[in-house]
C-alpha cells in the first residue's frame, strides 16, 4: 500500500489508475512464450484469451512450476506443442 500512496494513488482510486498494461497470451500459445511474457512484464500472472479475445483464465509461474513438476514426476502426459 505504501507504494500506491507514493505514486499518488488512493485506496478510493479506480483500479485502472494503477493497472499495468500487458499482452494476453492465447490459449494455444506455448508455455515458454507465457514464461517469457511474465518475465518481460514483471507481472505475477497473465490473462489467457481465446481467439476472440475473451479472457478464459490466467497463467502464473506457480501454475507452470506445478505442471512441470507433475510431468517430471511421470504423473502426467507431456505438454503438446
Amino acid at each position: 500500500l505504501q507504494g500506491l500512496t507514493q505514486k499518488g494513488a488512493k485506496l478510493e482510486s479506480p483500479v485502472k489508475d494503477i493497472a499495468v498494461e500487458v499482452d494476453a497470451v492465447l490459449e494455444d500459445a506455448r508455455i515458454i512464450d507465457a514464461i517469457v511474457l511474465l518475465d518481460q512484464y514483471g507481472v505475477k500472472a497473465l490473462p489467457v484469451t481465446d481467439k476472440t479475445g475473451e479472457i478464459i483464465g490466467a497463467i502464473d509461474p506457480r501454475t507452470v512450476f506445478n505442471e512441470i513438476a507433475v510431468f517430471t514426476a511421470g504423473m502426467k502426459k507431456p505438454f503438446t506443442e
Side-chain angles (χ1 to χ4, degrees):
L1 292 177
Q2 186 177 22
L4 292 178
T5 55
Q6 289 175 350
K7 292 180 182 178
K10 298 179 181 173
L11 293 177
E12 299 83 18
S13 299
V15 173
K16 68 178 183 171
D17 289 353
I18 60 167
V20 176
E21 288 190 35
V22 297
D23 288 333
V25 66
L26 287 172
E27 63 186 333
D28 58 353
R30 298 177 310 161
I31 293 171
I32 189 66
D33 296 328
I35 293 169
V36 168
L37 285 173
L38 286 164
D39 184 58
Q40 177 181 340
Y41 288 108
V43 295
K44 296 187 189 239
L46 284 172
V48 178
T49 62
D50 63 16
K51 294 192 186 313
T52 67
E54 184 171 336
I55 295 175
I56 59 171
I59 189 164
D60 61 76
R62 184 176 183 169
T63 302
V64 172
F65 174 80
N66 288 343
E67 287 293 313
I68 292 171
V70 168
F71 167 70
T72 303
M75 300 169 59
K76 197 169 190 176
K77 293 182 181 179
F79 298 114
T80 58
E81 292 193 32

